[in-house]
Amino acid sequence: MSQDPSCIFCKIAAGQIPSRKVYEDDELIAFHDIAPWAPIHFLIVPKEHLASLYDTVPEKHQALLGKMLALAPELAREQGASNGFRTVVNTGADGGQEVPHLHMHVIGGPRPWAKG
Ligand code: 5GP
Ligand code: ZN
């Protein structure tokens, strides 16, 4: 599984930078966003370094991407999102992606939110 030693989310996945963890298995980690927009805001992140959704390959990453999406409602419920949530995957510069390691935002909790 490829990692980028200069990547902040690779460092979080490797436990080299602390995070408030929500979930972890051999392929994925989920942790609370450091600058949440809403009462619930965490990120689901593959442990493999994939810069963005652009860097995924259909046959190779289909199961991983499906697992990320399938995990979202399970973890959202566990975190207390009982009235819905939003999933967001920013991709590349025009997509507003700031951290170049694929991640899915899961955002929920009672409104108003700071943004979104
Ligand atoms: P993007 O704009 O790339 O989709 O979102 C990146 C997200 O990662 C932002 O919401 C930002 O607050 C979050 N983030 C950036 N650095 C860190 C960090 O070191 N720890 C955590 N937990 N979240 C981070
Ligand atoms: Zn990375």
Side-chain angles (χ1 to χ4, degrees):
M1 196 188 293
S2 67
Q3 262 88 42
D4 176 343
S6 66
C7 168
I8 194 156
F9 286 178
C10 284
K11 288 182 187 169
I12 288 176
Q16 292 160 358
I17 291 181
S19 68
R20 288 175 53 224
K21 209 182 295 176
V22 167
Y23 174 85
E24 183 169 18
D25 66 24
D26 54 343
E27 292 182 303
L28 298 175
I29 185 166
F31 51 86
H32 291 282
D33 197 291
I34 206 166
W37 314 347
I40 297 164
H41 186 172
F42 61 88
L43 307 172
I44 300 178
V45 182
K47 289 187 171 177
E48 181 181 0
H49 180 81
L50 295 160
S52 82
L53 210 47
Y54 270 141
D55 295 80
T56 60
V57 177
E59 316 76 61
K60 192 174 172 198
H61 297 115
Q62 194 169 315
L64 181 72
L65 292 168
K67 188 171 165 183
M68 288 170 71
L69 194 56
L71 201 55
E74 195 177 314
L75 299 182
R77 264 197 209 99
E78 275 178 25
Q79 294 302 312
S82 55
N83 198 34
F85 60 90
R86 178 175 291 188
T87 47
V88 175
V89 182
N90 297 323
T91 302
D94 287 354
Q97 186 180 3
E98 288 175 6
V99 175
H101 179 131
L102 173 64
H103 53 279
M104 178 187 291
H105 296 253
V106 180
I107 305 159
R111 287 176 179 267
W113 296 350
K115 53 177 174 170

